[in-house]
C-alpha cells in the first residue's frame, strides 16, 4: 500500500468511524474475547452478547446476538448449515458475517468484485484476528486472489451497541472493481413472526414509521439521490410479534453514511433473516488500483429486551455519548431565532436588527440570518455559490449587525448552502465545469440550482477557502448548512476512465473532510445539518454537526407525528423544532401559540415566526414559555424519552415523558388532537421515575390536572397516573415533576 493510499484509508476510517468519539475509536468499550479452540469470538456489553466464529470451511459465521449470556457459557464451534437440496447449498443458507459474491452464493452479498479478466467470483476465508482492548479485528482473503478484507467489531460497554465496518484492499497486480460493498450483514435465527420497522417520507412529511411482517423475499430501503433523502432513512428495527413499546425484543441498527445507501432485508429459503447495509450498489462501481483500499461506512447495531422504547433510549444515549460533537456531554442546544419567515430574501441591516431586538426580549440565545444575505441573492434564481456579503443590503458588511446581536446577549448565525450553485452566479460563470454533469448532456435544474462536484479537489479547496474566510472575518457561532436538491446526471467527466462512479463515495468523503476542517479551524463553530428539511439525517453527518433540521413542515400537529418517528432512531436533543406562525404556511392550520410552543419544546426549541406581527400578549407568553423551556432543557435534550401515547395511526391523543438521567426531574407533554362525543380521557401513567422518590407536580402551561395530588411518589405517578383534562381540538398541556 502506498503512503498516499495509507493516508487516505486512515482518513476514511477517522471520518467514518472515529470522529467525535464514535464507538470504533471510543475510549469506553466492552472487552472482546475469543475461544481459540473453537474459534468463537464474543463481545459483551450492557445486557447484550454478540458472537460469531470460524467454521470448518474457514468462513465467518454468525452465531448469537441477543440478551447477555453468562461469562461461563461456552458456545460450540460454528457448523455450516447442511445442504437442503441442490438448490439450497450451504453457502446460500449459512448465516455469514460478511458474504462475498462467489461459490454459489445467491443471497445478498456484502461484497461483490469484478476482476479485469471478467471473473466475478469471490470466496472469502478467515486469515487471522487481533483482539485489542476495545475491538476485534478479523482479516479475510479470497480463496485464490489477493483481495483482502478487514472487518472491525467494537461494542460500547454501556449500551451494548456494536459498530461494524469493513475495509477492502487490492493486493493484486491489476485493478479490481468493487460493484457492491456493505459495512456488515447481520443475521437472526429462524422465526416466523419477525416484523420490520423503518422510516419513510417525503418533503414536509419525513420520518413516518412503517411496520410490516418479514416474509420470504426481500425488502429494500434505499436512497439513490446522492444524499440520505426524505424518502427513506438508513435505520431499521426488527421485532417479534408481541413486542410493544416497553416490552419484547428489538434488534435495531443505523448506517452512518450521508450519500446513496441501501439496507436490504430478506428471508432465505429456510427462514433465516438477514439485513445487509452499506453503499447503494445502484450505479456503483469503485475501481481500486494495486495497493488501494476502500472503507465501508459504519453500521451501528443494538439489541434491547425492553421494546421500542428501550431500543430508542439506548440509541439516544449512544448518540449523545459516542457520536455527537462534544460527546460524551454535547452542549445543550441554544434557543434560536431564524428570520426566514419574517423576511424571506428581503434582508437588510435595519430589519434584522429590529428582529434581533424582539428575539432577545423573549430570551432567545442565538439569532440566525437565513437565505438572502449574499451575492445577487434576491430570489432563489441567482447568487447561490457567491459567498460574499451583499453590500446593497448590508452597506457596512455584517459586522454592525453581529455586534448588535452580540450586545443583545445572543450568538450570531448564518444560513449557507455551499454544495450548490445557481447558473446565474459569478461562480458558475467562471467554473461551469465544477458541477456534477455528464459531458454533452442536459443539466437538470431543481430550485434553479445545480450540485457542485465536491469530489473534485479544486471544488473542495474553493469551498474551504471561502467559508474559512467568512468565518475568520466575522464572529459567526453557527452555520445552518442546507442542501436543497437531489443529484441528477451523476457524472464526473474529469475523472480517469472507469473511475467516474467514484463520485458517490469521494463526494461524501470530501463533505466530511470539509466539515471537520472548518470545525478544526474554528473550534467554537456549531453546524446544523439541513437538506430541505430532514433530507440529510444519519449517524455520519451527526458526527460532524450539532443539530439537524427535522422538516420544513413546522405545523405543530404534523410535527408530533414527524417527531415521534424521528425519536425511534435519533436523539431528541438534536431535533430542531420551531414555533412558527398560524395559519401555518404549509397547510393553513390554525393553532394557539401555546400549542405551537409545547409541540416544539419536546425537542430543541427554535422560533421562526414573524415577530413583527406579534401582539404584546404573544411576547409575554413566549417570554414565559422560553424561560420554562430553559428550566427543563437538560431533561428534554439529555433525558430518557418515554413515548407514553403515540400519535401514530390517527390517535386522538398523544403524550411523551422525558426523565432526567438522575431521576430528579421529569417533563410531561400531553396533546388532544380532536375532542369529540365527550369521550373519556384515561389517566396517563408515567414511566421511568424513581418509585421511592417524591415528586411535586407543576403545570408549565395548559389545563390543570384533575383529582391529582400536588406531591406523590414516583410509584404513585407510574401506578395511578395523572388525569389531564383537555377539551376541544388541538389542545395541549405540560407539567414538570421535580423530585425532592
Amino acid at each position: 500500500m502506498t503512503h498516499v493510499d495509507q493516508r487516505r484509508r486512515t482518513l476514511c476510517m477517522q471520518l467514518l468511524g472515529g470522529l467525535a468519539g464514535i464507538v470504533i475509536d471510543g475510549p469506553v468499550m466492552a472487552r472482546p474475547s475469543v475461544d481459540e479452540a473453537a474459534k468463537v469470538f464474543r463481545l459483551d456489553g450492557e445486557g447484550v452478547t454478540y458472537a460469531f466464529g470460524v467454521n470448518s470451511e474457514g468462513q465467518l459465521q454468525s452465531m448469537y446476538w441477543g440478551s447477555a449470556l453468562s461469562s461461563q457459557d461456552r458456545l460450540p464451534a460454528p457448523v455450516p448449515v447442511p445442504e437442503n437440496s441442490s438448490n439450497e447449498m450451504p453457502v446460500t443458507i449459512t448465516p455469514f458475517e460478511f458474504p462475498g459474491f462467489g461459490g454459489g452464493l445467491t443471497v445478498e452479498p456484502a461484497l461483490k468484485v469484478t476482476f479485469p479478466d471478467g471473473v466475478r467470483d469471490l470466496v472469502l476465508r478467515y486469515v487471522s484476528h487481533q483482539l485489542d482492548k476495545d475491538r476485534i479485528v478479523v482479516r479475510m482473503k479470497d480463496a485464490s486472489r489477493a483481495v483482502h478484507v478487514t472487518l472491525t467489531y467494537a461494542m460500547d460497554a454501556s449500551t451494548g451497541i456494536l459498530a461494524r465496518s469493513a475495509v477492502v484492499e487490492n493486493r493484486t497486480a491489476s485493478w479490481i472493481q468493487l460493484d457492491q460493498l456493505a459495512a456488515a450483514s447481520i443475521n437472526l435465527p429462524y422465526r416466523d413472526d419477525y416484523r420490520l420497522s423503518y422510516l419513510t417520507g417525503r418533503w414536509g412529511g419525513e420520518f413516518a414509521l412503517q411496520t410490516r411482517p418479514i416474509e420470504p423475499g426481500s425488502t429494500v430501503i434505499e436512497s439513490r439521490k446522492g444524499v440520505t433523502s426524505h424518502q427513506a432513512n438508513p435505520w431499521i428495527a426488527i421485532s417479534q410479534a408481541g413486542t410493544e413499546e416497553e416490552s419484547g425484543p428489538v434488534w435495531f441498527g443505523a448506517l452512518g453514511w450521508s450519500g446513496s445507501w441501501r439496507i436490504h432485508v430478506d428471508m432465505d429459503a429456510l427462514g433465516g433473516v438477514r439485513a445487509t447495509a452499506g453503499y447503494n450498489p445502484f450505479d456503483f462501481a469503485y475501481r481500486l488500483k494495486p495497493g488501494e483500499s476502500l472503507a465501508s461506512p459504519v453500521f451501528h447495531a443494538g439489541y434491547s429486551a425492553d421494546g421500542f422504547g428501550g431500543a430508542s433510549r439506548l440509541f439516544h444515549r449512544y448518540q449523545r455519548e459516542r457520536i455527537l460533537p462534544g460527546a460524551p456531554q454535547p452542549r445543550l442546544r441554544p434557543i434560536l431565532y431564524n428570520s426566514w419567515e419574517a423576511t424571506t430574501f428581503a434582508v437588510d441591516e435595519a430589519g434584522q436588527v429590529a428582529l434581533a431586538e424582539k428575539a432577545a426580549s423573549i430570551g432567545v440565545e442565538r439569532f440566525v440570518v437565513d437565505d438572502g444575505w449574499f451575492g445577487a441573492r434576491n430570489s432563489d434564481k441567482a447568487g447561490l455559490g457567491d459567498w460574499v456579503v451583499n453590500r446593497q443590503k448590508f452597506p457596512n458588511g455584517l459586522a454592525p449587525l453581529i455586534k448588535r446581536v452580540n450586545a443583545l446577549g445572543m450568538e450570531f448565525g448564518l444560513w449557507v448552502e455551499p454544495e450548490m450553485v445557481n447558473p446565474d452566479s459569478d461562480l458558475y460563470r467562471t467554473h461551469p465545469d465544477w458541477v456534477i454533469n455528464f459531458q454533452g448532456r442536459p443539466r437538470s435544474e431543481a430550485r434553479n440550482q445545480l450540485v457542485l462536484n465536491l469530489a473534485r479537489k479544486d471544488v473542495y479547496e474553493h469551498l474551504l477557502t471561502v467559508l474559512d474566510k467568512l468565518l475568520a472575518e466575522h464572529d459567526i457561532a453557527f452555520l445552518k448548512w442546507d442542501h436543497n436538491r437531489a443529484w441528477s446526471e451523476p457524472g464526473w467527466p474529469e475523472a480517469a476512465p472507469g473511475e467516474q462512479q467514484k463520485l458517490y463515495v469521494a463526494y461524501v468523503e470530501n463533505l466530511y473532510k470539509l466539515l471537520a476542517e472548518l470545525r478544526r479551524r474554528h473550534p467554537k463553530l456549531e453546524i446544523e445539518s439541513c437538506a430541505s428539511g430532514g433530507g440529510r439525517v444519519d449517524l455520519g453527518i451527526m458526527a460532524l454537526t450539532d443539530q439537524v433540521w427535522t422538516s420544513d413542515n413546522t405545523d405543530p400537529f404534523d410535527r408530533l407525528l414527524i417527531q415521534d418517528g424521528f425519536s425511534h432512531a435519533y436523539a431528541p436533543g438534536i431535533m430542531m423544532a420551531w414555533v412558527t406562525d398560524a395559519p401555518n404556511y404549509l397547510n393553513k392550520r390554525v393553532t394557539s401559540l401555546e400549542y405551537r410552543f409545547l409541540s416544539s419544546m419536546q425537542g430543541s426549541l427554535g422560533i421562526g415566526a414573524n415577530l413583527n406581527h406579534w401582539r404584546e400578549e404573544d411576547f409575554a407568553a413566549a417570554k414565559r414559555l422560553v424561560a420554562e423551556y430553559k428550566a427543563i432543557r437538560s431533561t428534554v435534550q439529555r433525558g430518557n424519552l418515554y413515548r407514553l401515547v403515540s400519535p401514530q395511526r390517527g390517535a386522538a391523543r398523544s403524550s411523551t415523558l422525558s426523565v432526567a438521567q438522575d431521576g430528579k426531574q421529569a417533563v410531561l407533554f400531553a396533546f388532544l388532537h380532536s375532542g369529540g362525543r365527550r369521550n373519556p380521557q384515561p389517566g396517563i401513567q408515567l414511566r421511568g421515575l424513581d418509585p421511592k422518590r417524591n415528586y411535586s407536580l407543576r403545570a408549565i402551561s395548559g389545563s390543570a390536572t384533575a383529582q391529582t395530588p400536588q406531591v406523590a411518589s414516583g410509584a404513585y405517578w407510574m401506578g395511578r397516573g395523572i388525569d389531564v383534562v383537555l377539551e376541544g381540538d388541538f389542545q395541549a398541556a405540560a407539567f414538570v415533576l421535580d423530585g425532592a
Side-chain angles (χ1 to χ4, degrees):
M1 183 181 296
T2 67
H3 174 69
V4 172
D5 293 328
Q6 177 63 51
R7 187 172 61 188
R8 180 184 175 280
R9 173 178 169 180
T10 301
L11 172 65
C12 290
M13 293 306 293
Q14 288 174 339
L15 290 173
L16 302 178
L19 285 170
I22 290 180
V23 69
I24 276 197
D25 287 314
V28 181
M29 298 290 173
R31 286 197 173 274
S33 61
V34 60
D35 181 338
E36 292 285 1
K39 273 292 183 290
V40 172
F41 303 92
R42 176 168 161 170
L43 297 108
D44 291 278
E46 184 63 33
V48 178
T49 296
Y50 187 94
F52 61 97
V54 182
N55 65 28
S56 57
E57 301 297 319
Q59 302 156 326
L60 214 59
Q61 183 172 333
S62 304
M63 297 183 66
Y64 179 82
W65 183 26
S67 295
L69 304 177
S70 166
S71 60
Q72 305 302 314
D73 291 332
R74 186 180 179 190
L75 292 161
V79 177
V81 176
E83 179 178 293
N84 187 54
S85 75
S86 59
N87 295 294
E88 290 101 32
M89 295 184 293
V91 69
T92 291
I93 53 180
T94 297
F96 294 135
E97 288 284 288
F98 198 82
F101 176 72
L105 187 83
T106 55
V107 296
E108 185 72 8
L111 178 62
K112 184 176 182 294
V113 174
T114 296
F115 295 96
D117 60 2
V119 170
R120 301 185 308 282
D121 187 69
L122 187 75
V123 178
L124 295 175
R125 296 284 187 263
Y126 165 84
V127 174
S128 65
H129 69 270
Q130 178 180 344
L131 270 65
D132 293 332
K133 61 181 180 180
D134 59 358
R135 70 188 68 192
I136 298 175
V137 177
V138 178
R139 296 175 181 85
M140 305 173 74
K141 178 187 171 297
D142 178 62
S144 63
R145 302 194 180 194
V147 177
H148 292 252
V149 178
T150 301
L151 305 181
T152 299
Y153 298 75
M155 182 176 281
D156 174 50
S158 63
T159 62
I161 291 176
L162 179 70
R164 287 193 56 185
S165 63
V167 175
V168 181
E169 184 180 352
N170 178 16
R171 299 186 193 175
T172 73
S174 185
W175 60 263
I176 64 171
Q177 180 172 289
L178 308 188
D179 299 314
Q180 191 163 339
L181 175 59
S185 287
I186 59 173
N187 295 273
L188 296 177
Y190 169 74
R191 284 184 65 103
D192 61 4
D193 64 347
Y194 284 124
R195 297 176 182 273
L196 173 66
S197 297
Y198 54 103
L199 298 169
T200 65
R202 59 188 179 278
W203 177 81
E206 298 90 331
F207 303 106
L209 183 65
Q210 311 290 343
T211 299
R212 64 169 63 177
I214 298 179
E215 297 173 332
S218 300
T219 300
V220 175
I221 310 159
E222 66 177 351
S223 169
R224 299 181 178 184
K225 297 185 175 184
V227 69
T228 320
S229 93
H230 304 74
Q231 189 174 346
N233 188 270
W235 168 89
I236 61 168
I238 297 174
S239 59
Q240 294 175 358
T243 294
E244 298 179 350
E245 179 67 16
E246 298 296 336
S247 64
V250 178
W251 295 264
F252 59 93
L255 190 67
W257 186 244
S258 307
S260 295
W261 57 271
R262 189 173 81 171
I263 299 177
H264 186 284
V265 180
D266 68 311
M267 178 182 287
D268 67 25
L270 297 189
V273 170
R274 62 173 52 82
T276 305
Y279 298 125
N280 195 324
F282 177 81
D283 197 39
F284 185 88
Y286 197 102
R287 286 202 178 182
L288 295 177
K289 297 174 184 175
E292 289 186 336
S293 62
L294 177 64
S296 77
V298 178
F299 189 67
H300 307 259
Y303 168 82
S304 172
D306 299 320
F308 290 98
S312 59
R313 287 188 292 274
L314 278 177
F315 217 15
H316 297 168
R317 179 180 176 186
Y318 177 75
Q319 291 161 28
R320 290 192 304 267
E321 295 182 355
R322 299 286 174 259
I323 300 291
L324 295 172
Q329 193 80 349
R331 180 190 177 194
L332 291 173
R333 297 292 82 225
I335 300 168
L336 68 75
Y337 177 78
N338 183 292
S339 64
W340 171 251
E341 292 196 14
T343 60
T344 62
F345 295 102
V347 297
D348 58 35
E349 183 179 324
Q352 297 299 299
V353 166
L355 286 167
E357 290 171 347
K358 292 180 175 68
S361 73
I362 61 174
V364 166
E365 299 160 316
R366 173 178 284 166
F367 182 83
V368 182
V369 178
D370 210 279
D371 201 349
W373 60 269
F374 55 91
R377 190 69 167 172
N378 297 307
S379 71
D380 63 12
K381 296 180 180 180
L384 194 61
D386 300 334
W387 301 109
V388 293
V389 179
N390 184 312
R391 290 288 175 160
Q392 291 183 328
K393 299 178 179 182
F394 297 93
N396 302 307
L398 293 175
L401 172 59
I402 295 173
K403 182 177 180 181
R404 180 57 180 151
V405 167
N406 293 161
L408 290 166
M410 298 184 293
E411 299 173 344
F412 182 78
L414 278 180
W415 177 95
V416 293
E417 193 174 4
E419 300 158 74
M420 304 291 165
V421 65
N422 285 132
D424 186 2
S425 66
D426 292 340
L427 180 65
Y428 186 79
R429 282 184 282 271
T430 305
H431 298 288
D433 56 322
W434 277 11
V435 299
I436 293 172
N437 73 97
F438 287 125
Q439 198 164 17
R441 303 291 296 174
R443 301 181 178 191
S444 302
E445 296 180 22
R447 201 174 180 258
N448 306 298
Q449 62 194 54
L450 299 168
V451 183
L452 289 171
N453 185 354
L454 187 51
R456 291 176 56 134
K457 184 174 183 289
D458 48 6
V459 173
Y460 166 82
E461 290 176 345
H462 168 77
L463 292 178
L464 177 60
T465 298
V466 295
L467 293 171
D468 180 51
K469 184 175 186 289
L470 178 69
L471 294 167
E473 292 178 353
H474 301 90
D475 187 3
I476 297 172
F478 172 80
L479 292 177
K480 182 179 176 70
W481 189 297
D482 214 340
H483 182 288
N484 273 309
R485 61 156 297 181
W487 290 11
S488 59
E489 297 87 39
W492 184 359
E494 300 78 19
E499 297 193 358
Q500 280 205 40
Q501 287 153 290
K502 285 188 173 182
L503 172 70
Y504 287 101
V505 174
Y507 181 105
V508 180
E509 286 179 351
N510 270 358
L511 170 65
Y512 290 166
K513 182 181 174 183
L514 177 60
L515 292 168
E517 181 61 17
L518 288 172
R519 298 190 71 113
R520 187 191 69 81
R521 296 186 185 187
H522 306 279
K524 294 182 180 179
L525 176 68
E526 294 190 341
I527 302 173
E528 175 180 294
S529 174
C530 175
S532 291
R536 187 154 63 190
V537 178
D538 60 80
L539 296 186
I541 204 71
M542 282 168 53
L544 293 155
T545 57
D546 305 87
Q547 59 195 50
V548 297
W549 182 227
T550 320
S551 177
D552 283 349
N553 184 349
T554 57
D555 174 76
F557 170 67
D558 285 355
R559 270 300 185 99
L560 294 176
L561 287 161
I562 292 168
Q563 291 170 183
D564 182 89
F566 181 100
S567 73
H568 278 76
Y570 302 112
I574 62 165
M575 179 181 71
M576 290 307 300
W578 286 6
V579 177
T580 57
D581 286 323
N584 185 268
Y585 84 98
L586 196 64
N587 57 23
K588 310 307 178 186
R589 182 180 285 125
V590 176
T591 52
S592 69
L593 183 62
E594 179 181 85
Y595 184 94
R596 284 175 268 153
F597 259 96
L598 295 184
S599 175
S600 298
M601 287 166 66
Q602 295 173 98
S604 291
L605 178 64
I607 299 168
N610 187 348
L611 301 183
N612 294 323
H613 294 167
W614 276 18
R615 301 164 298 175
E616 184 176 340
E617 54 264 38
D618 295 328
F619 282 100
K623 184 175 182 178
R624 179 178 62 80
L625 288 166
V626 165
E628 291 282 11
Y629 182 76
K630 290 178 181 178
I632 62 172
R633 170 166 44 190
S634 179
T635 296
V636 170
Q637 294 186 15
R638 294 177 178 166
N640 292 315
L641 176 67
Y642 293 84
R643 294 179 291 265
L644 302 180
V645 183
S646 172
Q648 299 289 339
R649 293 175 291 280
R653 301 163 60 243
S654 64
S655 181
T656 66
L657 181 75
S658 298
V659 181
Q661 294 292 328
D662 61 8
K664 292 182 179 179
Q665 186 184 73
V667 185
L668 173 67
F669 294 94
F671 299 87
L672 176 66
H673 315 312
S674 178
R677 299 182 299 171
R678 296 189 61 81
N679 288 332
Q681 298 181 33
I684 301 173
Q685 290 182 284
L686 308 190
R687 298 174 186 151
L689 302 178
D690 181 346
K692 297 181 180 179
R693 185 187 298 272
N694 284 331
Y695 293 87
S696 59
L697 182 72
R698 179 177 65 83
I700 291 178
S701 185
S703 170
T705 59
Q707 300 178 347
T708 298
Q710 295 304 300
V711 179
S713 68
Y716 177 93
W717 300 121
M718 292 188 290
R720 169 61 180 81
I722 297 177
D723 297 322
V724 179
V725 179
L726 296 169
E727 296 181 342
D729 295 342
F730 304 113
Q731 299 297 311
F735 306 88
V736 178
L737 292 94
D738 285 314

